[in-house]
Amino acid sequence: MFFDTHVHLNVKQFDDDQTETINRAREAGVEKMVVVGFDHETIPEAIRLAEQYPFIYAAVGWHPVDAIDFTSKELTWLEELARHPKVVALGEMGLDYYWDKSPKDVQADVFRQQIRLAKKLDMPIIIHNREATEDIIKLLQEEDAASVGGIMHCYNDSKDYLQACLAMNFYISLGGPVTFKNAPLPKEVAQAVPLDRLLIETDCPFLAPHPYRGKRNEPAYVTLVAKQIAALRDVPLEVIEKATTTNALRLFGLLEEK
Ligand code: NI
């Protein structure tokens, strides 16, 4: 079985065929997934899906692009929802220097508040990083995020930053870009990550793997990510399937209920 650790079945792109998409994932062997919520609309929908399906879990966090809208009200709300039995991680959270809706200092403050909440609740963190790697690593170190660890979601850097992430007890999650032509960095990373720290994801509806690049992504395609990683590491697909699933179950505290 495959575990897609980062899906957004909770967005409008799946309004028309959410159930069919979930069924296709199950048929492809994707037996577990985490739906990630990141704002007022997607968080309740992530929880609703987790309540409806036994094999779906939720993560709740506030996206850095919208950090400017985050108040103590949102923090209290996140804490309440994080205590839901199907919520397995906090996030996505982090820093996004590509969009300029929220100033950097505001993003850093909202990120710190959420890391502190994760530590208070002893839950892993899911990191969103866009063009902000060094600041994210520095901030995670300052806040001692290593005590909870988490996921570098859709890791998009060279392997130079791997050691810092691994030292803080973070897992490295790879998605569609590892299958892209002319994308040497994620391929190098796929070969370098220790097997016991590797995760797979789609981040659907975004970042569809080859040959679906540019189209809507969906959880069934996480198998293509696993196949590409297996080819790059020259191991049977089952090795990647088993390792990434076990890693996800361990990180999310689900090993007992497997
Ligand atoms: Ni995401």
Side-chain angles (χ1 to χ4, degrees):
M1 86 164 172
F2 296 90
F3 196 137
D4 189 342
T5 60
H6 198 113
V7 307
H8 298 293
L9 292 170
N10 49 344
V11 298
K12 62 178 184 321
Q13 285 90 332
F14 293 107
D15 277 355
D16 294 338
D17 63 348
Q18 194 184 53
T19 308
E20 293 85 342
T21 305
I22 291 167
N23 291 341
R24 281 195 297 276
R26 300 279 287 173
E27 281 158 25
V30 184
E31 293 185 31
K32 289 192 189 287
M33 49 195 113
V34 174
V35 179
V36 180
F38 49 84
D39 62 15
H40 284 298
E41 286 74 43
T42 57
I43 288 171
E45 178 63 3
I47 303 259
R48 192 194 67 74
L49 283 164
E51 286 177 344
Q52 184 179 351
Y53 296 95
F55 51 88
I56 289 182
Y57 300 85
V60 299
W62 199 258
H63 203 283
V65 168
D66 297 322
I68 194 87
D69 304 320
F70 190 85
T71 69
S72 59
K73 212 175 115 213
E74 277 74 27
L75 184 65
T76 307
W77 184 58
L78 281 186
E79 176 162 357
E80 271 169 33
L81 294 176
R83 295 181 189 278
H84 187 289
K86 293 296 293 285
V87 172
V88 294
L90 282 191
E92 50 193 291
M93 64 174 83
L95 302 172
D96 191 317
Y97 292 169
Y98 180 78
W99 303 102
D100 58 6
K101 179 181 166 190
S102 299
K104 287 182 180 179
D105 58 331
V106 176
Q107 290 192 38
D109 178 54
V110 171
F111 187 19
R112 284 185 198 276
Q113 289 185 57
Q114 293 186 84
I115 297 169
R116 287 169 194 174
L117 178 59
K119 289 173 68 180
K120 179 179 171 184
L121 301 172
D122 193 24
M123 294 177 79
I125 296 168
I126 299 174
I127 299 292
H128 170 99
N129 168 21
R130 198 150 179 202
E131 300 178 6
T133 309
E134 294 196 349
D135 284 358
I136 281 181
I137 290 173
K138 184 164 154 276
L139 212 144
L140 287 171
Q141 286 169 340
E142 284 173 7
E143 294 293 330
D144 186 31
S147 63
V148 287
I151 301 176
M152 293 297 177
H153 143 58
C154 204
Y155 184 93
N156 191 32
D157 282 293
S158 74
K159 57 184 182 181
D160 297 351
Y161 295 101
L162 276 180
Q163 205 42 54
C165 299
L166 297 170
M168 289 188 295
N169 298 318
F170 274 75
Y171 288 69
I172 307 299
S173 187
L174 296 175
V178 78
T179 70
F180 294 172
K181 286 175 182 144
N182 308 317
L185 287 189
K187 292 190 171 70
E188 279 176 26
V189 169
Q191 291 168 323
V193 179
L195 196 56
D196 62 355
R197 292 295 191 89
L198 182 66
L199 296 173
I200 51 173
E201 65 171 70
T202 53
D203 198 22
C204 65
F206 314 109
L207 294 172
H210 178 79
Y212 303 105
R213 189 173 182 180
K215 303 208 169 73
R216 188 186 70 168
N217 199 0
E218 61 175 77
Y221 299 164
V222 84
T223 53
L224 298 171
V225 173
K227 276 178 194 155
Q228 176 69 73
I229 296 172
L232 288 163
R233 295 176 75 113
D234 197 20
V235 295
L237 175 61
E238 295 70 40
V239 170
I240 300 303
E241 177 179 356
K242 185 153 185 267
T244 53
T245 297
T246 305
N247 292 343
L249 293 170
R250 185 194 314 118
L251 174 66
F252 295 129
L254 302 172
L255 272 178
E256 314 72 44
E257 53 185 83
K258 187 177 167 190

